[in-house]
């Protein structure tokens, strides 16, 4: 059910977006439903692209909360989704961790830019984030995820993030990162974050990558470009802080073209 419900174990909230061609060369939003901590606002877009901003109207997610955001893009539609501010995971009075699910679908000939602000895992928080993107064989996607361990000067919370992408029913990416107190050993070692406070992923899916895949390369000291087994490319980056992470991912996207 869309909207918000509060229980003894936390707040449950769902937001849904649907984009389809409006018949005049633009994109309509027949479904734009959310509330509470997941308010949605349509903003000025381009001639053929609709833009939506996710507005965090309440604190959270807190311990025990469960947030869900769903976005679907039909053939011929273009949708750009961002957020008004960073998402701050905090400890709550309810027992247990918090959960944040993002479910994206893009049909053939559809295009989605999913570009939220950073997710910050504050001290003593415990958050599990699950992002799933299901695409048609000729769909287009730009997806950015950025996670920051703790606010300035504080220890991080526990954060587990899983990202999966399927194209034409085939899984091309399924990875999980767990970091912070209680995470498996080695998360902050040389094979993990290497002492960095910010980590991010950028996934770009374009049909033309099937014929001209992106080249494997290293970007600076903390980022790498890796073509996936499909018309897609993955950029993974670590940085000292959120600002440097964003700069690195922006440069990576520009280099992809």
């Amino acid at each position: 059910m869309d909207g918000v419900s509060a229980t003894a174990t936390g707040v449950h909230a769902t937001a849904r977006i649907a984009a389809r061609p409006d018949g005049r060369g633009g994109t309509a939003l027949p479904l734009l439903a959310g509330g509470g901590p997941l308010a949605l606002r349509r903003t000025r877009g381009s001639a053929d692209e609709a833009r939506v901003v996710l507005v965090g109207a309440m604190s959270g997610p807190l311990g025990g909360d469960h947030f869900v955001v769903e976005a679907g893009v039909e053939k011929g539609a273009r949708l750009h989704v961002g957020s008004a501010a960073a998402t701050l995971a905090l400890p709550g009075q309810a027992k247990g961790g918090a959960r944040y699910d993002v479910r994206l679908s893009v049909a053939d000939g559809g295009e989605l830019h999913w570009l939220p602000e950073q997710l910050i895992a504050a001290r003593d928080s415990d958050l599990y984030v699950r992002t799933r993107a299901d695409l048609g064989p000729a769909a287009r996607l730009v997806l950015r995820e950025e996670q920051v361990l703790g606010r300035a000067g504080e220890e991080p919370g526990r954060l587990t993030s899983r990202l999966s992408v399927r194209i034409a029913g085939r899984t091309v990416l399924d990875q999980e990162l767990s970091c912070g107190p209680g995470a498996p050993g080695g998360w902050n070692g040389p094979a993990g974050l290497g002492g960095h406070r910010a980590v991010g992923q950028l996934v770009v899916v374009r049909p033309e990558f099937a014929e001209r895949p992106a080249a494997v390369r290293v970007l600076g000291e903390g980022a790498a470009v890796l073509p996936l087994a499909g018309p897609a490319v993955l950029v993974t980056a670590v940085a000292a802080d959120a600002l440097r992470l964003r700069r690195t991912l922006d440069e990576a996207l520009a280099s992809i073209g």
Side-chain angles (χ1 to χ4, degrees), residues 2-257:
D2 295 331
V4 183
S5 64
T7 70
T9 59
V11 174
H12 293 194
T14 300
R16 292 187 172 94
I17 309 168
R20 67 175 53 157
D22 64 4
R24 304 186 302 275
T27 297
L29 298 175
L31 178 61
L32 192 64
L38 297 176
L40 299 171
R41 301 288 183 268
R42 180 165 188 170
T43 62
R44 185 184 299 274
S46 62
D48 59 350
E49 179 186 71
R51 286 184 173 245
V52 174
V53 173
L54 182 62
V55 180
M58 297 170 58
S59 297
L62 309 178
D65 291 351
H66 186 186
F67 295 172
V68 180
V69 180
E70 299 177 348
V73 182
E74 297 184 9
K75 180 177 181 179
R78 296 185 63 203
L79 176 64
H80 182 291
V81 180
S83 57
T87 297
L88 181 61
L90 295 164
Q93 294 182 350
K95 294 183 179 179
R99 185 180 178 99
Y100 202 132
D101 288 306
V102 177
R103 303 163 186 165
L104 311 174
S105 63
V106 187
D108 270 352
E111 182 170 350
L112 172 62
H113 287 216
W114 185 263
L115 302 171
E117 295 301 310
Q118 298 91 355
L119 189 155
I120 303 172
R123 181 177 180 178
D124 295 328
S125 64
D126 185 358
L127 178 64
Y128 180 83
V129 182
R130 178 76 162 93
T131 302
R132 291 178 289 180
D134 200 340
L135 314 177
R140 294 176 177 271
L141 173 71
V142 177
L143 182 153
R144 182 185 67 213
E145 286 193 342
E146 299 168 312
Q147 292 98 26
V148 181
L149 301 182
R151 292 168 290 191
E154 79 172 359
E155 293 299 311
R158 171 76 179 271
L159 175 64
T160 301
S161 176
R162 184 172 179 180
L163 171 62
S164 59
V165 179
R166 295 198 312 165
I167 302 175
R170 178 188 179 191
T171 298
V172 300
L173 175 66
D174 192 355
Q175 67 176 25
E176 183 172 289
L177 171 68
S178 186
C179 48
W187 67 267
N188 204 26
L193 271 62
H196 294 89
R197 301 270 298 187
V199 59
Q201 296 78 231
L202 178 72
V203 178
V204 181
V205 179
R206 296 175 182 162
E208 53 266 31
F209 285 157
E211 298 295 331
R212 300 185 301 277
V216 177
R217 63 187 188 278
V218 175
L219 300 174
E221 297 182 357
V225 179
L226 177 68
L228 300 176
V233 62
L234 169 68
V235 179
T236 300
V238 294
D241 54 44
L243 181 61
R244 297 179 192 181
L245 178 65
R246 175 65 58 84
R247 185 181 300 124
T248 297
L249 292 179
D250 284 348
E251 290 173 356
L253 182 58
S255 73
I256 292 171

